[in-house]
């Protein structure tokens, strides 16, 4: 137990960089704290206000007790989704595995410390949106001691089962991939398949909810047979059933212990298997081809991009979905598509919806927000080669354009025929895609240069958890929401085409500013980072 | 050939300098050994020479060209072999070497000849088609060494180059270093293995807490003693 606590403490201090934070200057610490508090308060407030609406909605249907159960299920789903990407890295691919395995520590203790850390981080993640929801619930509903007890117990245990399931799934994907010569592609395909299923289920949530409300009487049975722990949460919370609560605790603890006991037996074998690599060792010297510096740097970027499933998936997902949607639009009539998008009753045109979709996706698909950080320990090489920082910048921006633009243009051309867009509309959408992609690529690079994470333990840590990737995802999202709101407010006073022109000119100006910043401040930053 | 002039460097807001007012000249065709205890300032100096770290004070000249004023031209004349062979694992061995050759604009004929030659010397020619992610540390180190040699640098900067190499490769690398010197290449290298430094170097510099405390011809510096004794005496 003492060893478990020691590992857990070290892991948390290391992951959250607590020692580094404590050594930061007071001024910086205060500044960062203010930013974090400001963001948290605004985030909490917006979720709280939305949650109040949800509370009212559940009240109307006289289902208020069910509300938290629904949110608990959602939180479990989110935990599962995010853990799939972290599990392999956190549990089996950690940098210090070999060191710890050489020490007199049981494999089960190492695995338990890793799993508990993962559960704690997941708990912190769902805390961000569950706390405002719970507060909204408490403010509108008379809550007694029993409620507090049930909410607290369920909430604390909530991430355990999804974390375990996601860890198993993550391990399975990694294991199957390790059998193949092309690990990245297998991991990518399986992850993509999983996301499609996830998106499909999310899109069907309306139908599921309608079905649930209509069949409330049989709800118990449905949950009971589909996922028993949720049934226990439902039963405990709806009926103050202490037995269900105890059973829920027992199931969680038992699953945790079973997972640790079984996997710790093959922990070393799993780690070895995941690190296994095969060499063909049969190379015969061939004729080599020479390329220009620009081309060779770009090829290097492309190879890096395709070697990392998490990087590829995270940054190309939007564009891939755009293509999937464009291809599927071939099989539907224009009216059906608009109906599917729930736009048939609105005054919005198919041109506007494609434009918005393309702008949204190109603005959010930034490969550059991680590309400096992903150089990691290899950055010495670029810095010692006779190339200019501008050439490094250019290769990284070009990769972004190559990843996003060809597929986006292809999707636009398909939409031209399925949604009957005019040539002018197609050209305008393409221009918007072009401008937004450059803008996002340069913005991502600037942010990554400002917040590089050169010592990350894995690609996942850079792509999913670094400040730069979070900022370059949030800022475009917020900007697009603001623009939509502005247009909605002004739509009676301003013509759409003029509004679009203003945005395009603004984006063009931003691109020029970004370019100047990259060529001045960016160049200096590249020289400074080591 | 390589001239370090009043070079100083400190990290962050630290007032204490990692390297303080370092002056050194490494001549054409000379092997210069740079020794010091851990944290003495060896890697800081090396990283400034090869353009990884910025120079706070002073200057570093390569063939009379300042690395501060014309870093690209200086880098074209240099090669660097770091203490840790962290390279692009997504490339194959041959892909990495071709990438380096492209950057230094090495002709196809020369790159093919040199890659074939060095890959056979270090016995990794059969593995060049494999991804670097499948390489052992030693194999990566050999690949970095070959990458540093294929553009025939005028100055070779090495930070603990023998770490991770098998005895045969260590022997081969030493021979290559001697041959390069005969052809006029200057070599600046740091090592903790004082026996190697003693046997290989024409001149040696000892750095302690960022300051050069001894520098000179190997024979003059050590006299009748061995380098280890001198090093221990100076660091007491």
């Amino acid at each position: 137990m003492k060893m478990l606590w020691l590992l857990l403490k070290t892991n948390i201090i290391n992951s959250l960089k607590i020692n580094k934070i404590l050594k930061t200057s007071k001024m910086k610490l205060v500044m960062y704290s203010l930013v974090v508090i400001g963001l948290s308060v605004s985030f909490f407030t917006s979720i709280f206000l939305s949650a109040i609406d949800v509370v009212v909605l559940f009240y109307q249907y006289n289902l208020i007790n069910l509300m938290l159960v629904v949110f608990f299920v959602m939180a479990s789903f989110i935990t599962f989704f995010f853990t799939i990407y972290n599990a392999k890295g956190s549990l089996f691919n950690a940098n210090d595995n070999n060191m710890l395995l050489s020490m007199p520590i049981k494999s089960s203790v190492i695995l338990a410390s890793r799993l508990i850390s993962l559960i704690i981080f997941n708990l912190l993640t769902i805390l961000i949106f569950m706390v405002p929801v719970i507060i909204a619930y408490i403010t509108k509903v008379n809550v007694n001691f029993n409620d507090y007890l049930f909410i607290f117990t369920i909430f604390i245990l909530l991430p355990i089962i999804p974390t375990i399931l996601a860890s198993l799934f993550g391990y399975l994907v990694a294991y199957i991939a390790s059998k193949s010569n092309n690990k990245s592609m297998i991991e990518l395909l399986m992850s993509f398949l999983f996301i499609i299923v996830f998106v499909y289920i999310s899109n069907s949530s309306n139908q599921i909810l309608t079905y649930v409300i209509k069949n409330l009487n049989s709800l118990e049975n449905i949950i009971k047979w589909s996922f028993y722990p949720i049934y226990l949460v439902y039963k405990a919370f709806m009926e103050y059933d202490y037995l269900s609560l105890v059973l829920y605790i027992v199931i969680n603890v038992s699953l945790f212990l079973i997972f640790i006991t079984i996997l710790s037996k093959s922990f070393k074998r799993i780690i070895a298997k995941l690190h296994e690599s095969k060499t063909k060792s049969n190379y015969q010297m061939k004729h080599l081809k020479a390329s220009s510096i620009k081309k060779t740097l770009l090829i290097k970027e492309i190879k890096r991009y395709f070697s990392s499933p998490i990087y590829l998936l995270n940054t190309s997902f939007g564009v891939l979905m755009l293509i999937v949607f464009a291809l599927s639009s071939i099989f539907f009539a224009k009216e059906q598509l608009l109906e599917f998008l729930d736009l048939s009753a609105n005054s919005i045109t198919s041109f506007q919806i494609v434009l918005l979709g393309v702008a949204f996706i190109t603005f959010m698909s930034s490969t550059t927000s991680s590309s400096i950080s992903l150089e990691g320990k290899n950055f010495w090489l670029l810095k010692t080669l006779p190339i200019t920082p501008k050439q490094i910048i250019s290769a990284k921006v070009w990769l972004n354009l190559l990843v996003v633009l060809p597929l986006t243009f292809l999707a636009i051309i398909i939409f031209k025929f399925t949604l009957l867009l005019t040539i002018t509309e197609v050209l305008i959408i393409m221009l918007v895609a072009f401008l937004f992609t450059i803008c996002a690529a340069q913005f991502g690079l600037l942010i990554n240069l400002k917040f590089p994470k050169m010592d990350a333990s894995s690609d996942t840590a850079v792509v999913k958890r670094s400040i730069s990737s979070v900022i370059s995802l949030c800022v475009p999202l917020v900007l697009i929401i603001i623009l939509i709101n502005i247009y909605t407010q002004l739509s009676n006073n301003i013509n759409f085409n003029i509004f679009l022109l203003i945005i395009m000119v603004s984006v063009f100006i931003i691109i020029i500013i970004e370019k100047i910043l990259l060529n001045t401040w960016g160049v200096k930053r590249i020289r400074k980072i080591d | 050939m390589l001239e370090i002039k009043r070079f100083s460097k400190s990290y962050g807001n630290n007032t204490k300098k990692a390297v303080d007012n370092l002056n050194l000249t490494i001549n054409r065709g000379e092997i210069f050994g740079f020794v010091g205890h851990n944290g003495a300032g060896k890697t800081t100096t090396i990283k400034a020479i090869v353009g990884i770290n910025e120079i706070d004070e002073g200057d570093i000249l390569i063939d009379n060209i300042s690395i501060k004023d014309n870093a690209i031209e200086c880098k074209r004349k240099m090669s660097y072999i770091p203490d840790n062979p962290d390279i692009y694992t997504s490339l194959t061995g041959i892909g990495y070497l071709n990438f380096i050759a492209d950057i230094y604009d090495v002709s196809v004929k020369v790159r093919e000849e040199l890659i074939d030659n060095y890959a056979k010397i270090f016995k990794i020619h059969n593995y060049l088609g494999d991804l670097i992610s499948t390489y052992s540390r030693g194999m990566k180190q050999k690949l970095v060494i070959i990458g540093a040699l294929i553009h025939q640098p005028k100055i070779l900067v090495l930070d603990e180059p023998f770490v991770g190499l098998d005895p045969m490769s260590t022997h081969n690398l030493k021979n290559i270093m001697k041959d390069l010197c005969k052809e006029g290449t200057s070599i600046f290298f740091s090592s903790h293995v004082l026996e190697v430094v003693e046997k290989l170097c024409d001149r040696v510099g000892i750095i302690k807490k960022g300051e050069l405390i001894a520098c000179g011809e190997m024979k003059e510096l050590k006299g009748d003693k061995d380098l280890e004794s001198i090093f221990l005496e100076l660091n007491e």
Side-chain angles (χ1 to χ4, degrees):
Chain A
M1 206 60 190
K2 192 183 156 196
M3 197 64 86
L4 178 65
W5 169 241
L6 192 67
L7 288 182
L8 203 57
K9 195 176 77 178
T10 315
N11 205 359
I12 289 170
I13 289 172
N14 198 32
S15 304
L16 296 177
K17 298 193 187 306
I18 289 173
N19 286 333
K20 199 178 171 185
I21 292 169
L22 290 176
K23 281 186 180 166
T24 314
S25 70
K26 276 186 183 170
M27 190 63 190
K28 257 188 177 175
L29 204 62
V30 171
M31 287 286 281
Y32 280 131
S33 308
L34 284 176
V35 171
V36 170
I37 291 169
L39 284 173
S40 307
V41 168
S42 54
F43 193 73
F44 262 57
T45 315
S46 60
I47 292 189
F48 176 76
L49 293 174
S50 310
I52 291 281
D53 291 342
V54 177
V55 172
V56 172
L57 193 76
F58 272 84
Y59 245 126
Q60 281 172 359
Y61 285 98
N62 206 19
L63 291 169
I64 191 63
N65 286 344
L66 195 66
M67 184 192 135
L68 278 189
V69 179
V70 170
F71 273 93
F72 284 145
V73 174
M74 273 172 62
S76 303
F77 216 11
I78 289 168
T79 307
F80 180 77
F81 185 70
F82 283 108
T83 313
I84 278 180
Y85 297 103
N86 290 333
K88 188 185 128 194
S90 307
L91 297 181
F92 308 112
N93 258 0
N95 288 341
D96 54 351
N97 270 341
N98 287 348
M99 187 188 74
L100 291 179
L101 284 171
S102 71
M103 291 178 171
I105 311 171
K106 283 181 184 172
S107 298
S108 56
V109 175
I110 301 172
L111 186 61
S113 73
R114 301 235 186 275
L115 188 63
I116 295 172
S117 299
L118 203 56
I119 290 169
I120 292 173
F121 286 119
N122 282 337
L123 192 67
L124 291 175
T125 310
I126 55 170
L127 198 83
I128 295 169
F129 85 96
M130 276 305 283
V131 167
V133 170
I134 292 172
I135 294 173
Y137 179 83
I138 291 170
T139 52
K140 290 281 175 185
V141 181
N142 287 329
V143 182
N144 56 33
F145 174 76
N146 271 339
D147 286 313
Y148 282 118
L149 179 74
F150 281 98
I151 291 172
F152 180 76
T153 315
I154 292 167
F155 183 69
I156 292 292
L157 297 172
L158 200 63
I160 295 179
I161 295 176
T163 305
I164 288 174
L165 289 178
S167 301
L168 284 172
F169 187 85
Y171 164 66
L172 205 68
V173 171
Y175 182 77
I176 295 169
S178 73
K179 296 264 179 199
S180 157
N181 283 334
N182 202 339
K183 290 179 192 178
S184 308
M185 203 44 77
I186 297 285
E187 279 191 40
L188 182 73
L189 281 175
M190 291 186 72
S191 305
F192 193 62
L193 208 69
F194 169 75
I195 289 174
I196 287 180
V197 172
F198 185 83
V199 170
Y200 177 78
I201 294 172
S202 308
N203 280 346
S204 314
S205 57
N206 267 347
Q207 290 150 302
I208 294 170
L209 264 180
T210 318
Y211 180 82
V212 165
I213 290 168
K214 276 184 185 169
N215 301 280
L216 206 55
N217 294 337
S218 57
L219 185 64
E220 269 194 43
N221 277 333
I222 296 166
I223 304 176
K224 191 174 181 177
W225 296 112
S226 56
F227 198 61
Y228 192 66
I230 291 177
Y231 167 73
L232 291 175
V233 171
Y234 170 80
K235 192 99 171 135
F237 204 71
M238 300 287 276
E239 299 171 14
Y240 294 139
D241 183 1
Y242 277 93
L243 187 67
S244 295
L245 187 70
V246 172
L247 209 57
Y248 180 69
I249 296 169
V250 170
I251 285 180
N252 273 285
V253 175
S254 311
L255 277 177
F256 178 86
L257 292 176
I258 291 168
F259 180 86
I260 297 295
T261 312
I262 294 176
L263 256 78
S264 65
K265 289 208 166 84
S266 48
F267 188 55
K268 282 182 193 167
R269 213 167 47 238
I270 294 169
I271 291 171
K273 192 80 205 160
L274 292 179
H275 284 95
E276 219 170 66
S277 58
K278 295 168 203 156
T279 51
K280 287 182 188 158
S281 61
N282 58 355
Y283 182 76
Q284 296 290 319
M285 196 64 190
K286 291 171 202 150
H287 182 62
L288 299 172
K289 277 184 190 164
S291 306
S292 66
I293 291 181
K294 195 173 179 176
K295 191 176 167 190
T296 205
L297 284 175
L298 183 59
I299 291 171
K300 186 219 84 165
E301 291 294 329
I302 293 170
K303 288 195 172 161
R304 177 70 177 94
Y305 184 69
F306 283 99
S307 71
S308 174
I310 187 79
Y311 185 29
L312 199 150
L313 196 71
N314 216 50
T315 50
S316 64
F317 180 70
V319 186
L320 290 174
M321 289 310 287
L322 189 70
I323 276 289
V324 168
F325 195 69
L327 288 173
S328 57
S329 74
I330 296 170
F331 305 102
F332 299 97
K334 184 183 168 184
E335 289 71 25
Q336 281 176 297
L337 282 171
L338 292 178
E339 201 174 320
F340 177 75
L341 292 168
D342 202 19
L343 297 168
S344 48
N346 297 333
S347 56
I348 195 163
T349 63
S350 48
F351 163 64
Q352 287 170 331
I353 190 67
V354 175
L355 186 77
L356 185 66
V358 165
F360 187 74
I361 283 166
T362 49
F363 219 24
M364 301 272 290
S365 307
S366 165
T367 60
T368 50
S369 61
S370 311
S371 59
I372 294 287
S373 302
L374 285 172
E375 291 287 341
K377 288 177 182 167
N378 300 332
F379 203 46
W380 69 268
L381 190 58
L382 287 184
K383 291 192 77 173
T384 57
L385 292 175
I387 48 173
T388 60
K390 281 185 191 175
Q391 286 171 316
I392 300 173
I393 289 169
S394 166
K396 293 191 182 298
V397 171
W398 265 102
L399 173 76
N400 204 147
L401 302 189
L402 275 181
V403 167
V404 177
L405 286 180
L407 287 176
T408 306
F409 285 169
L410 179 66
I412 297 168
I413 291 167
I414 297 171
F415 282 130
K416 189 237 172 291
F417 296 104
T418 54
L419 291 173
L420 310 174
L421 301 173
T422 65
I423 292 285
T424 318
E425 286 173 338
V426 166
L427 290 176
I428 290 171
I429 299 170
M430 282 183 171
L431 185 61
V432 166
F434 183 69
L435 289 174
F436 275 49
T437 306
I438 296 180
C439 188
Q442 295 190 151
F443 177 73
L445 202 52
L446 283 168
I447 293 296
N448 199 195
L449 284 168
K450 177 68 190 162
F451 302 106
K453 192 182 171 99
M454 310 304 283
D455 57 350
S457 55
S458 64
D459 286 2
T460 313
V462 172
V463 176
K464 286 277 178 198
R465 299 196 291 266
S466 68
I467 299 175
S468 62
S469 60
V470 172
I471 291 179
S472 60
L473 200 71
C474 292
V475 170
L477 185 70
V478 170
L479 275 179
I480 286 186
I481 292 171
I482 290 172
L483 286 177
I484 293 171
N485 279 326
I486 291 175
Y487 180 68
T488 318
Q489 299 295 320
L490 299 176
S491 56
N492 291 331
N493 306 317
I494 193 166
N495 177 285
F496 178 76
N497 292 339
I498 293 172
F499 184 72
L500 183 61
L501 189 69
I502 293 170
I503 289 175
M504 282 164 74
V505 170
S506 310
V507 171
F508 184 71
I509 293 168
I510 293 171
I511 288 172
I512 291 171
I513 295 169
E514 285 174 344
K515 181 87 184 157
I516 294 168
L517 277 174
L518 278 174
N519 287 344
T520 50
W521 176 85
V523 166
K524 281 184 195 161
R525 279 298 294 168
I526 286 184
R527 290 198 183 119
K528 265 210 149 56
I529 297 168
D530 57 28
Chain B
M1 179 119 286
L2 166 63
E3 211 179 340
I4 302 172
K5 283 181 169 178
R6 299 184 303 280
F7 165 63
S8 295
K9 173 84 188 168
S10 52
Y11 290 103
N13 298 324
N14 209 335
T15 47
K16 184 155 173 29
K17 289 173 177 171
V19 178
D20 192 5
N21 197 27
L22 181 70
N23 289 287
L24 267 179
T25 304
I26 289 93
N27 301 312
R28 194 167 182 268
E30 185 177 71
I31 302 185
F32 186 89
F34 199 44
V35 294
H37 56 78
N38 294 329
K42 300 188 299 293
T43 301
T44 300
T45 306
I46 285 177
K47 283 186 171 179
I49 295 172
V50 298
I52 294 176
N53 282 353
E54 287 191 315
I55 298 168
D56 290 350
E57 289 170 48
D59 204 352
I60 293 171
L61 307 178
I62 310 291
D63 261 355
N64 292 322
I65 303 167
S66 161
I67 191 142
K68 280 161 95 175
D69 299 337
N70 196 345
I72 301 295
E73 200 43 48
C74 290
K75 287 175 186 177
R76 275 205 191 100
K77 296 171 190 281
M78 266 192 297
S79 262
Y80 167 54
I81 298 171
D83 50 350
N84 267 317
D86 294 312
I87 44 175
Y88 304 120
T89 51
S90 52
L91 299 181
T92 58
I94 191 70
Y96 169 76
L97 295 175
N98 210 32
F99 166 76
I100 299 287
D102 278 340
I103 298 284
Y104 284 93
D105 199 19
V106 181
S107 73
V108 170
K109 190 171 174 282
V110 172
R111 74 175 73 172
E112 282 178 353
E113 207 178 289
L114 290 179
I115 290 173
D116 194 39
N117 177 36
Y118 286 126
K120 279 180 180 155
I121 290 176
F122 287 107
K123 296 195 172 20
I124 60 164
H125 52 290
N126 284 338
Y127 299 93
L128 289 182
D130 292 316
L131 280 173
I132 296 172
S133 56
T134 63
Y135 283 20
S136 67
R137 189 194 191 281
M139 284 163 77
K140 283 184 198 163
Q141 181 77 353
K142 290 175 189 178
L143 200 66
V144 173
I145 292 169
I146 299 171
L149 298 173
I150 53 172
H151 63 93
Q152 299 163 299
K154 286 186 173 179
I155 297 176
L156 192 57
V157 182
L158 309 97
D159 194 357
E160 299 285 353
F162 303 108
V163 177
L165 288 184
D166 54 66
M168 180 60 95
S169 302
T170 305
H171 174 76
N172 288 335
L173 179 59
K174 284 184 210 164
N175 285 342
I176 289 170
M177 286 165 77
K178 284 175 193 164
D179 290 346
L180 286 173
C181 268
K182 281 178 198 158
E183 290 163 20
T185 304
S186 308
I187 297 177
F188 182 96
F189 90 101
S190 80
S191 179
H192 288 300
V193 190
L194 296 179
E195 290 88 348
V196 175
V197 175
E198 193 173 341
K199 280 181 188 161
L200 208 59
C201 296
D202 305 309
R203 286 201 305 140
V204 67
I206 300 174
I207 188 169
K208 184 183 177 185
K209 292 180 182 170
E211 288 176 23
L212 195 67
I213 52 169
C215 183
E217 297 279 335
M218 184 63 77
K219 283 177 192 165
E220 285 174 20
L221 194 80
K222 68 184 180 92
D224 296 334
K225 299 175 183 171
D226 57 13
L227 185 61
E228 190 180 37
S229 312
I230 301 292
F231 181 81
L232 292 174
E233 272 174 30
L234 288 169
N235 275 288
E236 263 174 17

